[in-house]
Amino acid sequence: MKNKNHVFWGFFVLMIALGASDSLRGVFSVVFADHFRLTADQVAQIVTVSYGGNLFFLLAGGRLMDRFERKKAMLAMLIVWMLALLLFVLSDNFYAILIGMFLAMGASTLLSTTINIVTPLLFVTTPGLAVNFLFFVQGIGTTGSQSLAGNFAESFADWKLTNVILLVLGVVAFLILSLNRIPDNRSEGETGAGSSRKYRFKDVLASRSFIPLVFLFGFYFIAEHGILNWLVAYGTFHLDLSKGAAANYLAVFFGGITVGRLVFSPLIDRIGLFRSITAFALAACALYVAGILWGASGLWLLSASGLFFSILYPTIVMMLQKFYPAAMISTATGAIISVASLFDIGFNFFFGKIIDLVGYERGFLILPVSMILFVVIYLVGVQGKVSLGSRR
């Protein structure tokens, strides 16, 4: 019990730091532009490199997480993340920032995904509560850092100081986790250099559930991240709202996600994993679609849907453990999420061109269609398929 609590507090500290780390590229973009005299294209390269880091680490890093003992793999990835922060602190070079972003964002995504996998092993009776609470904590780290940095960070020195603080939190988390046992539900023969069962990517692809799961995550990413990246522009240019009013609807949407993870997380373990996803997906879809189709007067419904989005991502990631054996869950999760993120990248690449071609009113319909497809794929192609062995 004591060890479990210590590990949980290590995850707690780490999730705050990871949430803050993930948000800083946007908050400090203006600082980077001023300090390095960057063009808009060079600023955009920071986001592109971050996506590249996510893809690489989820694919290759997820495989390493399954290849070695969970604790050793997590600590190694935590060291990579901290080295990226150290690079930020010690360097004054744009290309060093790009390298650091590749490492920091990739390692951060893999760490938070692995925490999602390991936490249910700590809290067997209340896994949904524990996982969603930690993602609530991550949200606090994200919103808190955005608020503080957005209001007080004005120079490149502030960027360095922020990363020193995150580095200290990383060291604290490293010490806590290194001194305690991190659970691993794989047998000794399934881990280490001499493991008797070596899972490969083709084993992940062999599951009939792989394609539905990729599409499930892909359309979810478009629906949620589409709001993150385009709601303010949609409200301002199409619905004739002020920029502040449109931003407020966005803030309420993501505030709902953060609060919902705290308020609704106990329900997951009470009503069950699949029933929880079904109920929240249907509620989120109804409000989301109605909020967009209803125009300006329905944006409050769209904002309210954030409450029901809240538990979806952490819970469907946790759901993947129902489809793949423990010895390959990191490989499978990394492969599914990384391939699904191509939906996200493709959407953002083409969406601006679509808006220029058909306008916001028609172009924005991609988002509710994606949300509906997410629900349909879950209900028809995913729900109830809980055994990998029978579906290879």
Side-chain angles (χ1 to χ4, degrees):
M1 179 66 73
K2 187 176 181 181
N3 178 83
K4 178 177 72 173
N5 291 337
H6 288 167
V7 173
F8 181 79
W9 282 112
F11 287 170
F12 184 98
V13 172
L14 185 55
M15 287 296 266
I16 289 178
L18 295 178
S21 176
D22 290 351
S23 70
L24 295 182
R25 56 183 172 178
V27 176
F28 280 96
S29 60
V30 175
V31 172
F32 295 151
D34 290 341
H35 184 75
F36 294 115
R37 308 290 185 184
L38 302 180
T39 64
D41 181 62
Q42 288 174 314
V43 174
Q45 287 177 23
I46 296 174
V47 178
T48 303
V49 165
S50 300
Y51 274 122
N54 287 344
L55 287 171
F56 177 81
F57 275 78
L58 284 171
L59 282 172
R63 181 71 186 92
L64 292 175
M65 286 289 184
D66 280 335
R67 190 76 174 84
F68 299 99
E69 182 186 338
R70 230 27 121 210
K71 177 177 178 177
K72 292 179 180 178
M74 288 192 71
L75 292 178
M77 201 53 55
L78 182 50
I79 289 174
V80 171
W81 179 72
M82 290 191 294
L83 287 175
L85 299 185
L86 190 61
L87 182 62
F88 292 149
V89 173
L90 298 178
S91 68
D92 190 355
N93 180 278
F94 172 63
Y95 295 103
I97 295 292
L98 291 180
I99 294 171
M101 284 294 176
F102 181 89
L103 297 174
M105 295 302 298
S108 173
T109 301
L110 184 57
L111 280 168
S112 61
T113 301
T114 306
I115 288 173
N116 198 326
I117 293 169
V118 173
T119 299
L121 306 179
L122 288 170
F123 300 90
V124 178
T125 57
T126 58
L129 171 62
V131 166
N132 279 276
F133 180 78
L134 285 174
F135 272 82
F136 161 76
V137 169
Q138 185 184 43
I140 294 297
T142 299
T143 56
S145 63
Q146 287 175 334
S147 177
L148 290 173
N151 285 287
F152 300 106
E154 299 179 350
S155 68
F156 198 68
D158 294 324
W159 161 253
K160 290 179 176 288
L161 176 60
T162 301
N163 283 285
V164 169
I165 295 172
L166 295 181
L167 189 56
V168 170
L169 291 177
V171 170
V172 171
F174 183 89
L175 291 174
I176 294 173
L177 297 179
S178 64
L179 295 174
N180 291 277
R181 187 181 68 85
I182 295 177
D184 195 330
N185 58 343
R186 301 168 296 171
S187 65
E188 290 185 6
E190 294 176 318
T191 62
S195 59
S196 59
R197 178 67 170 101
K198 297 180 180 180
Y199 288 104
R200 293 169 289 182
F201 285 112
K202 73 175 185 178
D203 297 309
V204 176
L205 301 177
S207 169
R208 294 180 184 176
S209 298
F210 178 76
I211 296 300
L213 287 169
V214 166
F215 277 85
L216 181 79
F217 277 90
F219 285 118
Y220 176 86
F221 289 155
I222 291 175
E224 182 186 318
H225 298 164
I227 294 300
L228 171 66
N229 294 320
W230 294 97
L231 181 60
V232 173
Y234 171 71
T236 303
F237 298 123
H238 176 62
L239 300 178
D240 295 325
L241 300 175
S242 68
K243 183 179 178 182
N248 286 338
Y249 283 112
L250 179 63
V252 172
F253 178 82
F254 281 95
I257 290 179
T258 301
V259 172
R261 284 175 179 167
L262 178 65
V263 173
F264 295 131
S265 56
L267 294 177
I268 300 169
D269 302 307
R270 293 180 186 177
I271 66 178
L273 190 72
F274 289 99
R275 287 182 180 177
S276 297
I277 297 173
T278 299
F280 279 80
L282 289 172
C285 184
L287 293 173
Y288 185 96
V289 173
I292 293 176
L293 296 183
W294 205 348
S297 59
L299 282 183
W300 67 274
L301 291 173
L302 177 62
S303 294
S305 72
L307 280 170
F308 298 98
F309 268 86
S310 59
I311 65 106
L312 288 178
Y313 180 74
T315 309
I316 60 177
V317 171
M318 188 168 62
M319 177 193 71
L320 296 181
Q321 299 182 59
K322 302 292 185 180
F323 294 86
Y324 292 91
M328 63 186 297
I329 186 60
S330 292
T331 302
T333 302
I336 290 167
I337 295 177
S338 59
V339 174
S341 67
L342 295 176
F343 283 63
D344 210 357
I345 296 171
F347 167 77
N348 285 288
F349 180 81
F350 288 108
F351 190 65
K353 297 177 176 60
I354 293 172
I355 294 301
D356 289 337
L357 185 64
V358 302
Y360 272 103
E361 183 174 8
R362 293 181 179 178
F364 215 69
L365 292 177
I366 293 173
L367 298 186
V369 169
S370 295
M371 189 62 193
I372 292 170
L373 289 173
F374 161 73
V375 173
V376 170
I377 291 169
Y378 173 74
L379 293 176
V380 177
V382 174
Q383 188 180 35
K385 294 183 178 180
V386 297
S387 173
L388 170 68
S390 62
R391 289 176 170 81
R392 284 194 168 188

